[in-house]
Amino acid sequence: MARTPNRSSQTNRFLAAMLEDPLAWRYGYELLKKTGLQSGTLYPLLMRLSDQGLLEAQWREPEKAGKPPRHVYRLTPTGLVLARAQALPIAKPGIVNKWAGAKV
Amino acid sequence: MSGGNRRRIASALMRHAARIMPAARAGWSAAMESELGLIEDDNVALRWALGCVIAGYREWVSDMVLLRTWYARSALACLIALLALREFFAPLLIFAYRMQYMGLAHFLGLRTAGDDYRRFIPIMDATPSWLVVLWVASGLLYLVALWQMLRRSGASHVPFFLGFGLEFAGMLAIQSLETSTGVTVGPIPLIRAAGYFLTFSVGFVLWRATRKNIGAAS
């Protein structure tokens, strides 16, 4: 029995942000700024999508020495299909989290 | 509050988030923590860490509700076992009374309101055999649900709700017997309703856990 895809506004916002550049790997903090979601909403969403096979995640070595490795995320082909079906009609590019203005 | 203090609080919050996050999600808390180290603004870092604590608790609650933790499963198992025992109690008392096992009847009577089985004699005499079978079947279905839940072998909510349905039918039947014999065996309606609500809630948790676990596996 397949799980019904989540249709919450947060999921739609996330999928819309991922569709801006579907093949790019994204950092967690970068996604937070793009979607305007807070980490307490964003990470459970990432976990759930990853559990459903809609999102792939991997560790990436830091660009600067002395910094920790980072987790990056990208939609899987199944996730892209869902995103295109669900998020495109309401995509709102350019959403910026007003409190997350610091440089990463 | 100085920037250094905010950063220290953020680090403490992040450690707390990592502690409460279920073990299966340890990689995710490490991911959140690595991002924190790269956020330069202390206010943003503090908000980030607060959000991570919320995420940690959300996963912890989710694990509890979906019965992924041993203590949540154990608590629910005890509750279902108690429900089954409750269904077997009346048949056992009736059996002891009718077979003249007075010691057992007295022992069971001490566990009822009034401490004496003899006040139930009119209703025990009036109880038809099919109602006793109904109670036993309900208890057995609860035990099947318990077994399936512990083994994670199937949709445990199905036997549970079947048992609940039989229990409810039995309650309707016993109410008419209470009226005809003038003997009250159940608690006051409010407590009875609360009991059924609790039983229904257990079934709901089982259904949700089955649904989510199947969804995660597919």
Side-chain angles (χ1 to χ4, degrees):
Chain A
M1 186 169 72
R3 193 180 186 283
T4 309
N6 196 307
R7 291 182 178 277
S8 70
S9 62
Q10 291 94 337
T11 308
N12 283 339
R13 223 190 295 177
F14 169 79
L15 293 174
M18 293 302 275
L19 275 181
E20 283 177 25
D21 188 356
L23 297 178
W25 290 94
R26 312 268 193 183
Y27 297 113
Y29 185 56
E30 179 191 356
L31 284 170
L32 177 133
K33 287 196 286 185
K34 271 193 172 300
T35 59
L37 300 173
Q38 302 209 7
S39 54
T41 304
L42 177 67
Y43 274 91
L45 177 63
L46 294 176
M47 291 179 215
R48 200 175 67 243
L49 293 175
S50 176
D51 289 345
Q52 292 169 16
L54 301 172
L55 186 80
E56 52 185 327
Q58 60 174 236
W59 286 97
R60 182 156 291 182
E61 286 305 310
E63 289 159 11
K64 295 177 192 170
K67 297 282 184 186
R70 296 175 78 179
H71 223 205
V72 286
Y73 313 97
R74 188 172 70 175
L75 289 175
T76 60
T78 323
L80 274 174
V81 171
L82 174 74
R84 291 198 172 111
Q86 188 165 317
L88 259 183
I90 57 149
K92 289 176 187 169
I95 296 169
V96 175
N97 192 336
K98 59 187 173 192
W99 56 261
K103 287 171 74 177
V104 186
Chain B
M1 198 191 308
S2 71
N5 281 342
R6 277 191 286 265
R7 181 61 65 166
R8 273 191 290 278
I9 292 169
S11 299
L13 287 172
M14 189 54 78
R15 281 195 298 276
H16 180 64
R19 266 199 303 275
I20 54 168
M21 189 71 81
R25 301 287 200 198
W28 287 95
S29 56
M32 290 189 264
E33 195 169 0
S34 69
E35 292 297 300
L36 177 71
L38 294 156
I39 299 171
E40 290 171 359
D41 187 296
D42 294 324
N43 284 327
V44 177
L46 187 56
R47 282 172 181 267
W48 175 272
L50 270 171
C52 293
V53 170
I54 292 168
Y57 274 106
R58 282 177 75 164
E59 291 306 304
W60 181 76
V61 168
S62 174
D63 249 27
M64 293 279 284
V65 172
L66 296 180
L67 306 176
R68 286 182 187 140
T69 56
W70 68 266
Y71 38 91
R73 297 172 72 77
S74 305
L76 202 69
C78 289
L79 207 53
I80 297 172
L82 281 174
L83 290 172
L85 278 179
R86 190 183 64 179
E87 291 307 297
F88 291 134
F89 187 87
L92 192 59
L93 181 58
I94 291 171
F95 173 78
Y97 163 69
R98 288 184 183 170
M99 300 304 288
Q100 300 293 307
Y101 296 141
M102 291 313 164
L104 179 59
H106 177 70
F107 173 80
L108 293 172
L110 289 174
R111 270 115 198 116
T112 64
D115 295 339
D116 192 344
Y117 78 93
R118 284 173 297 187
R119 79 182 187 89
F120 298 120
I121 287 175
I123 203 164
M124 285 196 289
D125 284 336
T127 302
S129 301
W130 64 263
L131 187 52
V132 177
V133 171
L134 199 77
W135 284 326
V136 172
S138 171
L140 287 174
L141 283 165
Y142 283 145
L143 289 181
V144 170
L146 173 63
W147 177 251
Q148 287 194 338
M149 185 202 76
L150 290 176
R151 288 183 55 104
R152 302 183 195 217
S153 59
S156 54
H157 63 283
V158 175
F160 187 89
F161 277 121
L162 282 174
F164 182 51
L166 292 185
E167 183 190 339
F168 196 76
M171 185 270 290
L172 295 177
I174 201 74
Q175 274 188 334
S176 66
L177 286 178
E178 281 180 336
T179 310
S180 62
T181 60
V183 178
T184 306
V185 293
I188 60 169
L190 186 67
I191 301 289
R192 191 176 275 180
Y196 282 111
F197 177 74
L198 178 70
T199 310
F200 182 81
S201 304
V202 171
F204 178 77
V205 168
L206 288 176
W207 167 74
R208 196 160 182 274
T210 305
R211 186 170 150 263
K212 289 273 181 180
N213 290 334
I214 289 174
S218 66

